Amino acid sequence: MRATVLHSPRDIRLDDVPDPQLALDTDAVVRVVAACICGSDLWPYRGINEVDEPRRIGHEFVAVVEEVGADVSTVRPGDFVIAPFMYSDNTCALCRRGVHTSCVQGGFWGGDDHAGHFVDAGQGERVRVPLADGTLVATPSVPGEDLVPHLLALSDVFPTGHHAAVSAGVTEGSTVAVVGDGAVGLSAVLAAKRLGAATVVAMSRHADRQELARSFGADEIVAERGKEGAAIVREMLDGIGADHVLECVGTGDSMKQALACTRPGGRVGYVGVPHDVQLNVPSMFGRNIGLAGGVAPVRAYLDELLPEVLDGTLRPGAVFDLTLPLDQVADGYRAMDERTAVKTLLTV
Amino acid sequence: MRATVLHSPRDIRLDDVPDPQLALDTDAVVRVVAACICGSDLWPYRGINEVDEPRRIGHEFVAVVEEVGADVSTVRPGDFVIAPFMYSDNTCALCRRGVHTSCVQGGFWGGDDHAGHFVDAGQGERVRVPLADGTLVATPSVPGEDLVPHLLALSDVFPTGHHAAVSAGVTEGSTVAVVGDGAVGLSAVLAAKRLGAATVVAMSRHADRQELARSFGADEIVAERGKEGAAIVREMLDGIGADHVLECVGTGDSMKQALACTRPGGRVGYVGVPHDVQLNVPSMFGRNIGLAGGVAPVRAYLDELLPEVLDGTLRPGAVFDLTLPLDQVADGYRAMDERTAVKTLLTV
C-alpha cells in the first residue's frame, strides 16, 4: 500500500510500504477514507522536532473496517469508524476516568505497540488498529460524503478545542478568550459557544481566519497580540479579563498572552503542545489563576459529540479549507507550512 | 492600645501603639477577642521575607464591634464578627465572582488602605476595619467561649484548606492526598472529607499531627516524603495516584511531591505561598494534570461555612494546640517556629 513518509525536514513523500496485517486478536485492519494534517505534524516537518530517520506520519483519520481479530466485538468489516488520535483500551483505570491518552495499553499512531508490533500512521491507505474495541467508534451506518469532513474533525482537532474549553471550565454564560487562530483555536471558538459561553473573543490577525472564527460564533475579534492584545481583551470584558482562556498555540509568548487575558479567579485551558513555556507561579497564585489541559483524550469525548455531528447540529469540518488527494500530501504540508491553508483534508 | 510589632527577625514584641480611630464613613473599629499566628507570619519572623523596619503583624482575628462609620449598615456596635484575612468591598466585579482577594478596593491588614490611612494588623487589641460592610461577617448573637476557636479558624486557616480542596475540584467519592501537615494541611484534610472525599491520604511525619489528621478524617497516613512518599500514595490509590492533591506548603519540593502524587487527569489545588516553585509544564501537559488555587478568598466562603460552625457540625478550631494571652505573643511565635505547636491562639 501507499503511505506518507517524512524522510527529513520538508522532504515528505507517498511511499510504497508493507500492507498492514492483523497481528493480535484485538486488532482491526481498516481502509482509510480520509485523513488530515495536524499543526503538530508541522513540528517534525519543519525540523523543529528532530527527524533522524524516515518515519510514517499522521494521526487523524476516518476509515472503513476491512478485517477484525477474533476478540474484536464492537466493530465489523464494512463499518465506518472514527479513529481518535491515540489508540486505547477504553477499560483501564485511566480510560475509565476519561484520560484515554494515559491508557496503560495505549499509544501513538506510527510507532510500535506494547507487544512490539508496528502500528501504521494515519496518512496512508490502510492502518492496523490495535485495541480496536477500545479505539474505534463506528457510526450507525456509512455516512454520506458531505458528513466525512465533520466526522474526520472528530478524530482530533475539534475534541482538542473542546478539551481546552472543558479544561478551562467554560460554562453557560461565561466569557472566553481564545489564543491561537489555527484549526485548534478555531475549533475552540466553536466548542466554547457550544458549551454556552456568552462572549467569545477570538484573537486573530488574519482576515480569512477571523471570518471562520465569526462563522464558528466568535462575538469579538482582537487582532493585536501580546500585552497590547491582552489589555484590549481585559477592557472588553468588564475591565477584568476573561473567565476562561483557551491557549491553542503552545509557545512561551502565547501562554503569557493567555495568562494576561485571564481575570483573577479564572482558568486557562491549554492544548497547544508546550514549547519553552515557563509559568510565573507567584503571579498565578496571587491572582488565583488556574491552568488545566494537555493532550486531548479524544476517545472520552466521542460519545457526546458524535450524535451532534450525525444530526447536523455540529459542523466542525469547516476548518478544512483545502482538500487534496493523498498523492498530493506534500502540497498539503506546504500549504499549511506557508499558512495558505488552515487545515488540509486528504482523500484516500 | 497594645499590638504586636515585628522589629527584626525573631524580635517580636507587644508594643504601645496609637488607638485606632474611624477614618472613613465605611470603617468600623473593633475590639479583638482572639487572634492567631499563621504559618505565613513565620516567613518574616524568620527573616526569609525581609523586615527592613518594625511592622505590625497578624491577619486572623475575631472581634466585637465598638464603633461604626456613618455608611456602615450590616454590623453594629456589640456585634461579634469574623474578619477574613484580607478586607474587601464585597461588591466589585471581582468580589461578585468570589475573588475577594483581588477586590479593587481591598488590601492586607497592617498596611495603608487605598485612601492612605493605616490599617491595623490583627494581633493587637483593636483594629480599624476598612470597608466594614464588605469585610466583616457578624454572628447572629455573641457566641459562647467554646465556639471562639472554631470561629477564629474561619478567618483564614480553615477556608484556606477549603480553598485547596475546592480548587482541586474535590467531589463526593474522590481520592485526595494532602501535602503538608501544618495547620493549613490539617484543615485541608477536614475540608476534603467535608466535601465527600472517599479516601484522604495525609502525608505527615509527626505523630501528633498524624493524630490530628486522623481526628479530621484522614483515612491513611504516609510518613515518607518526596518521590518515595509519592510512590506509596500512587500504590495506595489504584496504582495511579490521587484524583486531587492539596499542596499546603509552597516549596519547590512540596510541589514536586504533589504533582507526583496526582493521577493523570487529576488536579493539584495549591494554597502554600509559592517560594521557588518551578513547574515541569511538558510533564503536566502529557499527563493532563491541572493546577489551581492561590490566596484563599476567605470572605467568599464564610456564608457557606459559618452556619456549620454555629451548629457545631464543623469544628475546625481543633488545629489550635496552644493558647496564650496576647502579652505572651513572642512565646507563641517561638513555639510555632520550633514546631512544638501546630498553631497558636492568642486571647486578647
Side-chain angles (χ1 to χ4, degrees):
Chain A
M1 70 156 182
R2 298 176 311 158
T4 304
V5 177
L6 179 62
H7 287 260
S8 61
R10 289 194 168 74
D11 177 8
I12 199 153
R13 308 177 213 160
L14 197 65
D15 286 351
D16 284 317
V17 302
D19 278 327
Q21 314 250 333
L22 296 178
L24 300 167
D25 289 342
T26 47
D27 287 350
V29 170
V30 302
R31 176 176 57 75
V32 176
V33 171
C36 51
I37 302 172
C38 181
S40 69
D41 292 332
L42 295 181
W43 292 99
Y45 176 80
R46 289 169 172 162
I48 299 169
N49 291 3
E50 247 177 74
V51 185
D52 14 2
E53 51 178 0
R55 49 166 281 200
R56 303 271 278 279
I57 191 164
H59 54 262
E60 302 164 277
F61 58 100
V62 288
V64 170
V65 176
E66 293 207 319
E67 208 181 342
V68 298
D71 292 347
V72 174
S73 62
T74 64
V75 296
R76 300 183 294 193
D79 280 355
F80 184 96
V81 291
I82 299 160
F85 100 103
M86 287 180 73
Y87 58 87
S88 57
D89 63 21
N90 202 27
T91 56
C92 77
L94 290 161
C95 284
R96 288 199 310 273
R97 286 164 176 83
V99 204
H100 295 70
T101 42
S102 295
C103 172
V104 297
Q105 297 195 75
F108 291 101
W109 305 105
D112 284 350
D113 65 16
H114 291 241
H117 301 291
F118 181 70
V119 181
D120 305 275
Q123 292 161 12
E125 290 178 331
R126 279 179 178 70
V127 172
R128 180 180 75 87
V129 176
L131 305 166
D133 276 340
T135 303
L136 298 172
V137 176
T139 55
S141 58
V142 175
E145 226 174 83
D146 56 314
L147 269 186
V148 168
H150 306 294
L151 293 165
L152 177 60
L154 290 184
S155 68
D156 179 353
V157 64
F158 183 74
T160 294
H162 177 69
H163 187 51
V166 169
S167 299
V170 173
T171 49
E172 195 75 31
S174 59
T175 60
V176 174
V178 179
V179 177
D181 64 358
V184 172
L186 294 165
S187 298
V189 169
L190 180 60
K193 288 308 281 189
R194 178 181 168 278
L195 290 170
T199 306
V200 174
V201 182
M203 304 188 80
S204 170
R205 290 184 300 173
H206 304 88
D208 53 336
R209 293 163 189 243
Q210 292 176 354
E211 196 181 326
L212 198 45
R214 291 266 188 210
S215 77
F216 274 172
D219 301 284
E220 304 282 351
I221 304 285
V222 170
E224 291 78 3
R225 314 212 295 183
K227 283 183 186 177
E228 197 192 350
I232 294 169
V233 170
R234 289 197 302 273
E235 194 47 44
M236 233 170 218
L237 300 173
D238 285 337
I240 56 177
D243 299 327
H244 315 285
V245 178
L246 315 186
E247 198 291 302
C248 304
V249 182
T251 63
D253 283 347
S254 63
M255 182 61 84
K256 271 188 202 155
Q257 182 174 322
L259 290 167
C261 289
T262 314
R263 71 157 171 85
R267 206 187 309 157
V268 174
Y270 74 134
V271 292
V273 184
H275 288 77
D276 290 324
V277 169
Q278 303 291 330
L279 299 171
N280 182 339
V281 181
S283 160
M284 289 172 66
F285 185 87
R287 300 172 63 227
N288 265 290
I289 293 179
L291 177 74
V295 281
V298 170
R299 178 64 189 85
Y301 295 128
L302 288 182
D303 298 336
E304 176 186 345
L305 300 174
L306 178 58
E308 295 181 30
V309 168
L310 290 174
D311 72 15
T313 51
L314 181 62
R315 296 180 66 77
V319 289
F320 297 111
D321 57 349
L322 178 63
T323 298
L324 293 173
L326 181 61
D327 56 17
Q328 290 181 40
V329 62
D331 297 331
Y333 273 85
R334 196 173 312 115
M336 284 178 61
D337 180 35
E338 295 169 356
R339 292 178 70 87
T340 57
V342 174
K343 194 168 176 76
T344 307
L345 183 150
L346 301 165
T347 55
V348 184
Chain B
M1 69 157 182
R2 298 176 311 158
T4 304
V5 177
L6 178 62
H7 287 261
S8 61
R10 290 192 166 75
D11 176 8
I12 199 153
R13 308 177 213 160
L14 197 64
D15 286 353
D16 285 315
V17 300
D19 279 326
Q21 315 250 334
L22 296 179
L24 299 167
D25 288 341
T26 47
D27 287 349
V29 169
V30 302
R31 176 176 57 76
V32 176
V33 171
C36 52
I37 302 173
C38 181
S40 69
D41 292 333
L42 296 181
W43 292 99
Y45 176 80
R46 289 169 172 162
I48 299 171
N49 291 2
E50 246 178 75
V51 186
D52 16 2
E53 50 178 1
R55 48 166 281 201
R56 302 271 279 278
I57 192 165
H59 54 263
E60 302 164 277
F61 59 101
V62 289
V64 170
V65 176
E66 293 206 317
E67 207 181 344
V68 297
D71 292 347
V72 174
S73 62
T74 64
V75 295
R76 300 184 293 195
D79 280 355
F80 184 96
V81 291
I82 300 159
F85 100 103
M86 286 180 73
Y87 58 87
S88 58
D89 63 22
N90 202 26
T91 56
C92 77
L94 289 162
C95 285
R96 287 199 310 274
R97 286 163 175 83
V99 205
H100 294 71
T101 41
S102 294
C103 172
V104 297
Q105 298 194 75
F108 291 102
W109 305 106
D112 284 349
D113 66 16
H114 291 241
H117 301 291
F118 181 70
V119 182
D120 305 275
Q123 292 160 12
E125 290 178 331
R126 279 180 179 70
V127 172
R128 180 180 76 86
V129 176
L131 305 166
D133 276 341
T135 302
L136 298 172
V137 175
T139 56
S141 59
V142 175
E145 225 173 86
D146 56 317
L147 269 186
V148 168
H150 305 293
L151 293 166
L152 177 60
L154 290 184
S155 67
D156 178 353
V157 64
F158 182 74
T160 294
H162 177 69
H163 187 52
V166 169
S167 299
V170 174
T171 49
E172 195 75 31
S174 59
T175 60
V176 174
V178 179
V179 176
D181 63 358
V184 172
L186 294 164
S187 298
V189 169
L190 180 61
K193 289 308 281 189
R194 178 181 168 277
L195 290 170
T199 306
V200 174
V201 182
M203 303 188 81
S204 170
R205 291 185 299 174
H206 304 88
D208 54 336
R209 292 164 190 242
Q210 291 176 354
E211 196 182 326
L212 198 45
R214 290 266 188 211
S215 78
F216 275 172
D219 301 284
E220 304 283 352
I221 304 285
V222 170
E224 290 78 2
R225 314 211 298 183
K227 283 182 186 177
E228 196 192 350
I232 294 169
V233 169
R234 289 198 302 272
E235 195 46 46
M236 233 170 218
L237 300 173
D238 284 337
I240 56 177
D243 298 327
H244 314 284
V245 178
L246 316 186
E247 198 291 302
C248 304
V249 181
T251 64
D253 283 347
S254 62
M255 181 60 85
K256 271 188 202 155
Q257 181 174 323
L259 290 167
C261 289
T262 313
R263 72 158 170 85
R267 205 187 306 159
V268 174
Y270 74 133
V271 292
V273 183
H275 288 78
D276 290 324
V277 170
Q278 303 291 329
L279 298 171
N280 182 340
V281 180
S283 160
M284 289 171 66
F285 184 87
R287 300 172 63 226
N288 265 290
I289 292 179
L291 177 74
V295 281
V298 171
R299 178 64 189 86
Y301 296 128
L302 287 182
D303 297 337
E304 176 187 344
L305 300 175
L306 178 57
E308 294 181 29
V309 168
L310 291 174
D311 73 15
T313 51
L314 181 62
R315 298 180 66 78
V319 289
F320 297 111
D321 57 349
L322 179 64
T323 297
L324 294 173
L326 181 61
D327 57 17
Q328 290 180 40
V329 61
D331 296 332
Y333 273 84
R334 196 173 311 115
M336 284 178 62
D337 180 33
E338 295 169 356
R339 292 178 70 85
T340 58
V342 174
K343 194 168 176 76
T344 307
L345 184 151
L346 301 165
T347 55
V348 185

